[in-house]
Amino acid sequence: MSSNIPLAEATSNHVMVFDLVKTNAGNGYHPSTGVFIVPKSGIYVFSWSFRNSDRHYHSTELMVNNSVESIIHLHSAAGIWISGTGVAVLHVNKGDDVYVRISALGH
């Protein structure tokens, strides 16, 4: 991401838009919405990272359509930045929407 999400906007179900894209073979990822639309059914590897600071607790979820497929929980100590990375290997179908959102669980 090219910038931090302001705390006031880091609300439940907020889709994280990763606007700095290094690789997008097949143009399935849409950096304006943060959604990857699966171009061809098959097995894919999805990974995402985020960081948290100064006593904040947040969770992010990897979503396929409306189903939570994976989750990361981060809770940082005072004055400390921490980061986490999630990796999921999933079979997805052509046309499925895959995205990362802020979870209602970690707020």
Side-chain angles (χ1 to χ4, degrees):
M1 298 175 84
S2 61
S3 62
N4 293 332
I5 298 173
L7 192 56
E9 293 178 26
T11 58
S12 299
N13 302 324
H14 176 89
V15 175
M16 299 179 74
V17 177
F18 299 93
D19 59 330
L20 297 177
V21 181
K22 293 186 180 186
T23 304
N24 192 11
N27 295 314
Y29 181 70
H30 300 270
S32 61
T33 63
V35 176
F36 174 76
I37 301 172
V38 178
K40 182 178 178 183
S41 295
I43 295 175
Y44 288 74
V45 177
F46 298 98
S47 73
W48 75 103
S49 299
F50 79 104
R51 64 183 182 159
N52 221 6
S53 71
D54 202 20
R55 296 184 184 166
H56 290 122
Y57 179 77
H58 285 286
S59 298
T60 57
E61 300 168 327
L62 177 70
M63 304 293 296
V64 176
N65 299 319
N66 294 315
S67 297
V68 176
E69 296 297 331
S70 188
I71 192 166
I72 303 172
H73 302 286
L74 291 179
H75 187 185
S76 58
I80 302 294
W81 282 88
I82 60 172
S83 60
T85 298
V87 177
V89 179
L90 303 172
H91 183 275
V92 289
N93 296 308
K94 181 178 180 176
D96 283 348
D97 290 337
V98 182
Y99 56 96
V100 176
R101 72 178 186 185
I102 297 173
S103 173
L105 300 174
H107 246 79

